[in-house]
Amino acid sequence: MVLILIGLVSGTIGGMGIGGGTVLIPALTLFVNTEQHISQSINLIYFIPTAIIALIIHIKNKRIDFKIVLPIIIPGIIGAIIGSCIAIKFSSNVLKKIFAVFLLIMGIYEMFRKSKLAKN
Amino acid sequence: MKNKNNHKNSNTNKKSGCDLIKKIAIGIITGIVNGLFGSGGGTIVVPAMVLLLDVEEHKAHATAILIILPLTIISAFFYFKNNYVDWDITWKVVIGGIAGGYVGAKLLNICPENILRKIFAGFMIFAAIRMLW
């Protein structure tokens, strides 16, 4: 039940476009004591069906800039392989600490940034 | 006139070459972050597209999803191959998450987004400190 609730809350935040993963992962690690790698894989897997649903709607509404996508995705895949391999090499405890530093930076950025990205 | 055109062309070439380097850099960094932390790809790629590539913000959000989806599938595969997937927990969170995504999309127009962002940022900072100690 706690798990469904955590999913519900982070899904709500994610659905509002604020970024669900940065709530879901620490919530799982802190409240359910899930191993850090498992928390992260849950977020990855959770993203897949929700992204597909969102994409169908966005493609219909022509909100996607297709020209830009391919030159970002190809190096992105190389990055994803590097990033996952690094994550797998770390122990759960070390990965948790590194994630916490990342989360702290993101939290401070989110706290002090202007409401819209930029005026443009 | 001819000269002017030539000049313009070389400028466009320079710009597109520079853009390509930016796209490659954005891609690699987004991929590494998303794979390493299992999240955060959007936090990198959305502002990067808006600020460095002049993509409109509402388009950047939608485009980011298309970019991150294949990266996420690849990262998830690596986690899975190394036995870092627990389906018993995952399906419960996913069900809650999908329901939440629907609620969130509906609430978007009702709730004051700015206050929510600050609450959310506060939680992130609190959680980070708890995880560090």
Side-chain angles (χ1 to χ4, degrees), chain A residues 35-60:
Chain A
E35 205 192 326
Q36 183 66 24
H37 290 91
I38 304 271
S39 303
Q40 295 188 182
S41 81
I42 291 170
N43 189 56
L44 289 170
I45 294 167
Y46 159 64
F47 181 78
I48 298 169
T50 40
I52 292 170
I53 296 167
L55 275 180
I56 294 170
I57 298 165
H58 288 319
I59 289 171
K60 268 189 193 157

Side-chain angles (χ1 to χ4, degrees), chain A residues 6 12 17 19 25 28-29 59 62-63 70 72 100-101 105 114:
Chain A
I6 289 175
T12 306
I25 295 171
L28 285 169
T29 305
I59 289 171
K62 297 197 166 49
R63 273 195 218 130
L70 214 57
I72 300 180
V101 173
I105 296 167
K114 300 275 180 289

Side-chain angles (χ1 to χ4, degrees), chain B residues 21-121:
Chain B
I21 293 169
K22 282 183 196 166
K23 285 173 192 164
I24 292 171
I26 293 169
I28 290 195
I29 294 168
T30 305
I32 291 178
V33 168
N34 208 54
L36 179 56
F37 300 123
S39 62
T43 335
I44 307 277
V45 81
V46 173
M49 281 193 290
V50 174
L51 300 173
L52 301 177
L53 302 172
D54 287 324
V55 180
E56 291 167 58
E57 202 180 331
H58 73 284
K59 267 199 169 179
H61 280 281
T63 308
I65 300 173
L66 183 59
I67 293 171
I68 297 165
L69 182 61
L71 312 188
T72 301
I73 292 172
I74 301 232
S75 299
F77 173 74
F78 274 84
Y79 281 72
F80 174 73
K81 232 179 61 181
N82 288 276
N83 288 322
Y84 282 129
V85 171
D86 186 332
W87 291 112
D88 203 39
I89 304 177
T90 303
W91 75 262
K92 289 176 189 150
V93 176
V94 171
I95 286 180
I98 289 173
Y102 183 77
V103 176
K106 292 277 165 204
L107 278 179
L108 191 55
N109 303 316
I110 308 167
C111 280
E113 199 195 330
N114 246 331
I115 297 163
L116 275 173
R117 272 186 192 283
K118 301 296 175 206
I119 295 170
F120 164 68

Side-chain angles (χ1 to χ4, degrees), chain A residues 38-107:
Chain A
I38 304 271
S39 303
Q40 295 188 182
S41 81
I42 291 170
N43 189 56
L44 289 170
I45 294 167
Y46 159 64
F47 181 78
I48 298 169
T50 40
I52 292 170
I53 296 167
L55 275 180
I56 294 170
I57 298 165
H58 288 319
I59 289 171
K60 268 189 193 157
N61 292 331
K62 297 197 166 49
R63 273 195 218 130
I64 292 179
D65 191 337
F66 282 101
K67 293 190 304 281
I68 216 174
V69 168
L70 214 57
I72 300 180
I73 285 183
I74 293 165
I77 287 173
I78 298 166
I81 295 169
I82 298 170
S84 328
C85 287
I86 298 173
I88 285 155
K89 288 273 180 294
F90 284 130
S91 76
S92 199
N93 210 33
V94 172
L95 186 61
K96 185 169 127 182
K97 302 291 183 212
I98 300 170
F99 180 89
V101 173
F102 168 72
L103 191 63
L104 188 63
I105 296 167
M106 288 298 155

